[in-house]
Structure formats: C-alpha cells, structure tokens
Amino acid sequence: MARHDRRQRARQLGRTQQKRMKRPGLSPGTLVHTGEQRLPQPRITVIDYDAGHVTEKQLGSADECAAFQGMRGVSWINVDGLHDTDLLARIGERFHLHPLVMEDVASVGQRPKLEAYDDYLFVVLRQLSYDEESGHVQHEQFSMVLGSGWVLSFQENVGDVLDPVRERIRGGKGRIRKLGADYLAYAVMDAIVDHYFIILEKVGERIQELEDAVVADPRQEIVQSIHALRQEALYLRKSVWPLREVLASLQREESRLISPECRVFLRDVYDHTIQVVETVETYRDLIAGMLEIYLSSVNNRLNEVMKVLTMVSTIFIPLSFLASIYGMNFLHMPELQWRYGYFAILALMAVLGVGMLFFFRHKKWL
C-alpha cells in the first residue's frame, strides 16, 4: 500500500512538472496556464472597505474590477481559477499591469519573488496546505499585486488560509480597516507565513513517528517513507527560502506604496520567515539523521546475526576436527577397538562445546 502511494505521488509530481512546461519560443508576455483547471469557471470576489463600512460581493467581469480603482478606502479583489487566460489578460489591461506580470500569474511554477514597477508591486508566494488523507503537503501559487488603494490576488483554487484576514475586515478588528492597502498586503502575507507553522507541525509529527519506527523496527518500507519525507522537506525549502529575500526586499524597497508604519510589521513577517527556514533546515537534518539511524540499525542487526553464526561455526570447528580424524580409513586405530571409544568421543565433543560457550560468555561475547 505504501509503495502504491509512493508511485502515485511520483506520477502526480511528474504530471505537475510536465504541465508546468510551456511550449518554447512564445513571445514574452504570452499567457499560458501551466497548472490544472481546478474550477469550472473563475470566480472574482471583492471586499471594499474603510474605517466606516465594508462591502463584499462577487463580480462577473474584468470591467467591474476596474471600477474599484481610485475609490475611497481599500479594495481587495481576489480571483480564484487561472485557466481563463482571456480573463486574466483583461484584468491586466484594466489595471495597466505589465504583460510579464500576467504571464507569471498564469504560469504557476514561479518561485517566491518581488518585482517593483512604477505604480504597483508584484509578489509571488507559495501557499501550503496539508492533506490529512494522503499525509502530503499540497502547494499552490499565490500571486498578489499591490497598488494605490487596491490589492489584486490570484489563486489556483477556491479555499485558502486567509479567512482570518477576511474576518478581521468584516468585524473591524485591529487596525486593518484604519490603514491602507499596504497593511492589507502585509496581513495576507502574514497569514500565509503563519500557516507554514501549522504545516511544519504536521511534518514534525510525521518525523517523530518515523524516528520511533526506525528505532523500534527498521523495515524496508521505512526507507521509502524517509525518502518521500525528504522530498517534501526539499520542496518546503524551495517554497520558503526565497520568501526571506522577498520580505527583505519589501523592507528595503523605497516605494510610496509602503508606509513607514507598515515596514515595522513587515519586519515581523520577516522574523517569522526566518523561523520557518530554520525549522525546515532542522527537519532536513533530522530526516538525514533518520536515514543514518536506519542504516546503523540494519548494520547492527546484520552484525548480531554474523556474530551468532561465527560463534556457531567456531564451536563446530573442533567438533568437525574430531569427527574428521575418526572418519579416516586407517586399519590400526587403537580407539576403534575400545568398547567405550564412541561414547568417549561424544563426551569430549560435548565438553568442548560447553566449554567454548562458557568461554564466550566469560569474554562477554554472548
């Protein structure tokens, strides 16, 4: 069953890598969706708010999105589903986004990064979730554009880790409705990074279970689980490590879109990201250590077997020697004519065998 799950996981990763490869030679800015179509049709939702009101509704077209530019307050426009490249192109035109930005939105294999333009900032993150049924970490690209008074976000599927941010907006909790779009962008990134700790906790539990299994019963199936977990830790590192540079660049970026007050909060997210990176590195060391423990356990078990076999062979060497002497076909062997010769040889063999056992125990080899 574990082998079947591992093969299915490998095939899934292979299909994902294949779909993320687009046809070479296309002109820059060509929109090609490289992920899976997870929704029948894209869904556009908007939350428009300021200190005194909140408006939340679902939109039907890119033209309706453009109406929220330049409005009083902050508008958060979220697009679920990236397979409709025509819709993405129209949204990019309405918000005057560079074609390369929209190309990166549709191409879901991007690493976390920050790109600064004159009127907006483009940020790519990896949103992680944990599948309890399969025990694997799921990855999804999250793209966000920060403009003056608005935030655009693009996701592959419905469902994310941003419900706490939405609830804070609806309930007017904290300072989110008193500050601008830069604080909203910070809150979104902070929610995504905080969810990394939940994922790491799940991965840590799997590591603990495997450590106990390696020590108690090092079976061949455990090696397969260790290798699968090592691959996930590697992908976690690829998802989190570049995010550190993204947040550091946001703090250094001299943009009018980020207020000095917001930079303080970005430092806090940066600290959290450093903790996540350090935890991932610790997990990678633990996983590598588990493989060494497994190999040591297997070698120790093999050594124990070889020790027993060696002792058995050592005990039978003198017995075989005696048996070979009296197996020779000489005519004149005095012991052959002795009435009790056979029993004497058996007694001598028994004394030799028991004596060697006591000798091994005295040397603490047994």
Side-chain angles (χ1 to χ4, degrees):
M1 186 64 181
R3 183 175 298 177
H4 173 73
D5 293 340
R6 189 179 72 259
R7 290 177 179 175
Q8 184 176 4
R9 178 69 171 174
R11 287 195 297 267
Q12 180 182 359
L13 289 175
R15 290 194 300 266
T16 302
Q17 294 297 330
Q18 184 178 4
K19 289 182 178 180
R20 286 179 178 175
M21 295 177 61
K22 60 183 181 181
R23 184 165 58 87
L26 296 176
S27 61
T30 303
L31 297 187
V32 177
H33 181 230
T34 57
E36 298 180 359
Q37 180 175 339
R38 304 183 182 183
L39 298 175
Q41 60 182 8
R43 190 184 72 169
I44 306 174
T45 57
V46 61
I47 301 179
D48 184 73
Y49 65 90
D50 58 19
H53 86 285
V54 176
T55 302
E56 186 173 359
K57 62 181 179 180
Q58 186 169 337
L59 306 180
S61 66
D63 295 331
E64 295 182 54
C65 299
F68 288 90
Q69 285 183 297
M71 295 185 63
R72 184 174 59 90
V74 178
S75 299
W76 178 13
I77 303 167
N78 181 71
V79 180
D80 295 318
L82 306 178
H83 60 276
D84 190 344
T85 56
D86 292 335
L87 175 63
L88 296 181
R90 290 195 299 271
I91 293 176
E93 292 174 357
R94 300 301 184 273
F95 284 86
H96 307 289
L97 303 181
H98 197 282
L100 292 178
V101 170
M102 303 312 299
E103 178 186 358
D104 289 343
V105 169
S107 180
V108 297
Q110 303 297 317
R111 68 193 296 271
K113 63 179 181 179
L114 168 69
E115 294 180 356
Y117 293 84
D118 293 336
D119 299 325
Y120 56 88
L121 298 175
F122 175 56
V123 181
V124 176
L125 302 91
R126 304 301 302 179
Q127 188 173 208
L128 306 180
S129 60
Y130 190 81
D131 188 354
E132 295 287 350
E133 182 177 354
S134 64
H136 295 298
V137 179
Q138 306 294 331
H139 308 267
E140 179 182 346
Q141 177 170 308
F142 183 90
S143 305
M144 181 173 59
V145 182
L146 169 62
S148 179
W150 51 269
V151 171
L152 267 174
S153 59
F154 301 89
Q155 306 184 61
E156 298 181 57
N157 199 9
V158 175
D160 50 36
V161 299
L162 305 179
D163 286 339
V165 179
R166 297 185 180 95
E167 291 300 326
R168 284 158 56 190
I169 295 174
R170 294 165 185 153
K173 299 178 181 179
R175 54 173 60 86
I176 190 167
R177 281 173 49 178
K178 300 175 184 177
L179 299 178
D182 55 345
Y183 188 86
L184 172 61
Y186 146 75
V188 169
M189 291 186 290
D190 183 60
I192 293 176
V193 172
D194 284 347
H195 194 72
Y196 289 168
F197 289 101
I198 299 177
I199 303 300
L200 292 176
E201 183 178 352
K202 299 290 186 180
V203 174
E205 292 175 357
R206 288 179 57 194
I207 292 176
Q208 184 62 47
E209 293 174 358
L210 281 178
E211 282 183 338
D212 297 339
V214 166
V215 175
D217 185 16
R219 294 173 285 108
Q220 181 64 30
E221 293 79 3
I222 295 179
V223 182
Q224 301 166 1
S225 300
I226 292 175
H227 282 297
L229 193 57
R230 185 172 65 176
Q231 292 296 325
E232 293 211 351
L234 179 62
Y235 202 92
L236 279 173
R237 186 179 186 274
K238 291 181 179 179
S239 299
V240 177
W241 189 272
L243 183 58
R244 181 181 63 172
E245 298 301 324
V246 170
L247 293 169
S249 299
L250 274 174
Q251 296 180 62
R252 296 191 302 264
E253 185 66 36
E254 296 180 359
S255 174
R256 58 181 178 81
L257 298 173
I258 302 178
S259 63
E261 183 178 4
C262 188
R263 295 181 191 274
V264 177
F265 296 102
L266 289 174
R267 284 203 300 268
D268 182 66
V269 184
Y270 178 80
D271 293 339
H272 291 173
T273 305
I274 294 298
Q275 295 179 26
V276 172
V277 170
E278 291 176 349
T279 304
V280 171
E281 292 299 320
T282 301
Y283 284 173
R284 293 184 65 205
D285 293 339
L286 289 175
I287 294 171
M290 276 195 296
L291 191 57
E292 295 178 359
I293 292 174
Y294 170 80
L295 295 176
S296 299
S297 300
V298 171
N299 289 332
N300 290 337
R301 177 176 294 185
L302 180 61
N303 290 337
E304 290 294 327
V305 173
M306 294 302 298
K307 183 175 73 173
V308 172
L309 294 177
T310 302
M311 290 182 180
V312 171
S313 301
T314 304
I315 292 173
F316 275 90
I317 285 175
L319 306 184
S320 301
F321 174 73
L322 291 175
S324 64
I325 289 179
Y326 288 96
M328 294 186 296
N329 297 321
F330 289 107
L331 179 62
H332 301 287
M333 294 183 68
E335 295 85 354
L336 296 180
Q337 305 299 323
W338 185 32
R339 181 177 181 179
Y340 302 103
Y342 172 72
F343 301 101
I345 291 299
L346 290 181
L348 179 60
M349 288 182 176
V351 170
L352 284 175
V354 173
M356 295 186 71
L357 284 175
F358 277 105
F359 176 77
F360 292 152
R361 187 175 294 275
H362 175 71
K363 289 293 186 177
K364 298 182 179 180
W365 295 345
L366 283 178

